[in-house]
Amino acid sequence: MGDILDEATALIRCKECPWYKNCVTPMQVSAEDIAQFRLMMQGASLPEQAKGEMENFLENIASTSQNMILQSCPVFTQRLKDNLGLAQRIKEMMQNWGKEEEGPGK
């Protein structure tokens, strides 16, 4: 009975969720996010050289992470954790992406 309630709750959360129809998105780091970080760094009691190095390091991480990290909704994440078969099917879809279109004569 608990499984049915859990799935019903997830379905309701999914329909009402602000992520609805946008379950996975690339992580976005905006110029505003970087500006806020710079403001926080100004208040830190670090030598100027260390602040500059730390700022450059974190800007590089932010830039790289946008290509490597996805934000996912909590329902989608939980469904992947609970259902290894679903995760495997998604993995296979990604590995075979575009292969249907590459058949002979195309």
Side-chain angles (χ1 to χ4, degrees):
M1 182 74 168
D3 291 342
I4 294 170
L5 291 176
D6 290 344
E7 187 58 32
T9 301
L11 184 62
I12 291 168
R13 284 179 66 201
C14 193
K15 296 287 183 190
E16 295 175 354
C17 180
W19 288 80
Y20 184 59
K21 295 185 179 178
N22 195 21
C23 295
V24 180
T25 57
M27 182 177 170
Q28 299 294 321
V29 179
S30 67
E32 183 178 310
D33 294 330
I34 293 173
Q36 286 179 339
F37 172 73
R38 284 186 178 137
L39 285 174
M40 289 188 302
M41 288 297 294
Q42 287 175 356
S45 59
L46 295 172
E48 285 303 313
Q49 182 180 0
K51 282 183 186 180
E53 289 174 9
M54 178 76 90
E55 189 174 310
N56 287 337
F57 176 72
L58 289 171
E59 283 183 19
N60 288 335
I61 288 175
S63 175
T64 301
S65 68
Q66 292 185 101
N67 295 325
M68 297 176 60
I69 298 175
L70 296 175
Q71 299 171 331
S72 67
C73 84
V75 172
F76 183 71
T77 301
Q78 191 60 47
R79 286 179 178 170
L80 286 176
K81 288 178 180 179
D82 292 344
N83 187 338
L84 296 178
L86 173 61
Q88 183 62 35
R89 287 196 317 261
I90 292 171
K91 180 179 178 179
E92 289 169 3
M93 286 172 53
M94 292 303 295
Q95 290 174 340
N96 295 316
W97 193 277
K99 287 185 179 178
E100 303 85 39
E101 299 168 8
E102 295 177 2
K106 290 189 179 182

